[in-house]
Amino acid sequence: MTAAPGHVPPLLALRQSGTFAWRSILQIKHKPAELLDLSVQPIMFTLLFTYVFGGAIGGTPRDYLQFALGGLIVQNALFLSIYAAIGLSTDLQKGLFDRFRSLPIARGAPLAGRVLADVVRQLWSLIVLLVVGVALGFRLTTGFPALLGAFAVLTMFTVSFAWLPVWIGVLARDPEKVQVFGFVVVLPLTFTSNALVPTATMPSWLRSWVDVNPVTQVNDTLRALLSGGSAGGPLGGAVLWSAALAAVFGTLSVVALRTRG
């Protein structure tokens, strides 16, 4: 039997979300392999694309890394979002969210906590990627304020995008099926952007999509903030896409959780 949560003040709802986020982060203590994935995967992708494809695409691995690191950061963030969906689907399958719904807490606090924990994981991977990139020859040509801006933009986008895998996690009845999400959504979204290759050789119809792809907008913003250049145009696109993703999939996630049988 579930009890109505009643009205929860916004400040208390925020504290509850933080509690759920801390709970999700502490789970890493019991799953050390997850920390390895958060650390090893970004290193593996950086080494792979830099030294296998870098010479062919960028002339030299170092020049390619200067172009690709911003895209690799965004690509890694999207792939890590699948963890949030799998963890959420697992909690739902075990009936944990039924227990949460019986508590006098904000309806959205468990979901918001999952999203916040996912952001912490992604910021850790971002730091790993930057350290590895600099060790391989990436030149950070902007100042510390621009670096903080890159953190802020990536956080904004990952918080917004995370609602999409959360929605998938609520809908999926089997956590294993959530992994399919990575192939049907994240892969096409990433590889039809300018994350890893310049768009000059792409057909015009594909470039039309690449130019408006939210991943492209975030890629270009991070490149400008890390390597120099104008970030104004792509930053506007990244903000609009982030607002749209959060509004649509945040609402769908809460509705799906409320109506889930």
Side-chain angles (χ1 to χ4, degrees), residues 5 29 74 190 235:
K29 289 175 58 178
V74 180
T190 301
L235 177 59

Side-chain angles (χ1 to χ4, degrees), residues 21 24-25 34 38 77-85 112-124 158-159 161-163 165-166:
S24 182
I25 293 170
E34 184 177 338
L38 294 174
L78 296 186
F79 277 110
L80 288 181
S81 67
I82 300 173
Y83 280 108
R114 179 72 63 176
V115 171
L116 290 174
D118 187 51
V119 169
V120 173
R121 292 185 178 92
Q122 301 210 27
L123 287 179
W124 166 256
T158 53
V159 166
F161 182 83
W163 286 107
V166 163

Side-chain angles (χ1 to χ4, degrees), residues 10-175:
L11 187 58
L12 179 58
L14 185 62
R15 289 177 55 190
Q16 292 170 350
S17 300
T19 300
F20 280 104
W22 182 241
R23 167 190 171 271
S24 182
I25 293 170
L26 285 180
Q27 289 178 344
I28 296 178
K29 289 175 58 178
H30 306 289
K31 299 177 181 177
E34 184 177 338
L35 184 59
L36 287 177
D37 287 341
L38 294 174
S39 306
V40 172
Q41 178 175 296
I43 295 173
M44 182 185 67
F45 274 116
T46 303
L47 293 174
L48 177 67
F49 282 102
T50 299
Y51 290 112
V52 176
F53 301 110
I57 298 175
T60 67
R62 186 168 181 169
D63 289 341
Y64 176 71
L65 184 63
Q66 197 67 27
F67 166 81
L69 187 63
L72 286 168
I73 290 172
V74 180
Q75 180 196 49
N76 184 68
L78 296 186
F79 277 110
L80 288 181
S81 67
I82 300 173
Y83 280 108
I86 293 175
L88 177 60
S89 182
T90 301
D91 284 348
L92 287 167
Q93 189 183 45
K94 292 181 177 178
L96 195 57
F97 267 68
D98 292 332
R99 171 58 179 155
F100 291 158
R101 283 191 290 186
S102 71
L103 301 175
I105 60 175
R107 288 292 192 193
L111 294 182
R114 179 72 63 176
V115 171
L116 290 174
D118 187 51
V119 169
V120 173
R121 292 185 178 92
Q122 301 210 27
L123 287 179
W124 166 256
S125 292
L126 169 62
I127 293 171
V128 171
L129 266 173
L130 283 176
V131 170
V132 172
V134 170
L136 295 180
F138 177 78
R139 299 177 298 279
L140 186 64
T141 59
T142 56
F144 186 68
L147 180 60
L148 290 180
F151 273 87
V153 170
L154 187 68
T155 300
M156 173 192 69
F157 183 68
T158 53
V159 166
S160 303
F161 182 83
W163 286 107
L164 173 55
V166 163
W167 179 55
I168 300 293
V170 174
L171 294 179
R173 298 291 175 177
D174 183 348

